[in-house]
Amino acid sequence: MDRYTAENRLLMTYEGLTDDLIGPEVAKSLNEFLGQVPGVEPIHPDSVACVWRAVVKNQPPPQQAEQIARLQAAAVNQAGTQSGVVPQQDQPQPQVASSAVGVSSAVSQQQPLSATSTGGYAAAQRPVVASNVRRRRLDPGHHDSQRKGPEVPRPYTPEELDKMMNMLQEVAIRYQSQDVRLYHIMMGYYEKIRVERLKLSPDGVATPPGGFF
């Protein structure tokens, strides 16, 4: 904020960029802002929303989705080859001994069981392939900016939350006269943390000067 003047900076938030409603408009602002830099050629305004859906929401156009699907399939095959796992359709069928034990020791040491056998090949080998597939360089379509996953608790202490609120309040008040939008963004984060802070300890949370917004 101190280094760049208002016309030479762009203020945007993660929540705004990834929002289903205003996200494309935020992306258009970014496209226009970058287009002011000498040597930077922005994309056509009519294409911004399409690019936003592909990059931020991982929803490419149909023709690009087909290409990504082909690349993903090739990446899976590459991952299996690098990990030493032969694709299922190409795997040699293991020789099963006639005894009740199941697989002979020679076969069990040299050849993995097929996915249809009872030796547990699926449980033993599938995580290896899955871990490789999750790596970004092997999955061209894995770039959703809003990742889905389990709700992981964030065990912040009241003191830590107080420090966050103090920092947000300090920034908001410091630049309130320069950029009122920044003030509202900081105080919006402040209010979200304050709600969580009150859940831990209802006492000791002071209202900032001028209210929350």
Side-chain angles (χ1 to χ4, degrees), residues 10 12 17 22-35 42-50 52:
L10 176 66
M12 54 192 301
L17 182 62
I22 68 172
E25 295 302 319
V26 175
K28 288 181 181 179
S29 299
L30 176 60
N31 184 58
E32 295 173 358
F33 180 77
L34 295 177
I43 62 177
H44 194 278
D46 294 340
S47 300
V48 173
C50 181
W52 174 85

Side-chain angles (χ1 to χ4, degrees), residues 1 9-13 26 179-183 185-186:
M1 293 293 294
R9 65 173 180 254
L10 176 66
L11 184 62
M12 54 192 301
T13 66
V26 175
D179 196 324
V180 67
R181 183 166 175 263
L182 175 62
Y183 172 83
I185 290 174
M186 294 295 101

Side-chain angles (χ1 to χ4, degrees), residues 23 31 33 49 62 72-73 84 99 103 105 114 126 135 140 164 168 175 180 185 187 202:
N31 184 58
F33 180 77
Q72 289 175 320
S99 64
V103 183
S105 60
S114 66
R126 199 171 290 142
R135 297 172 63 180
M164 295 181 193
L168 292 169
Y175 296 106
V180 67
I185 290 174
M187 297 313 298

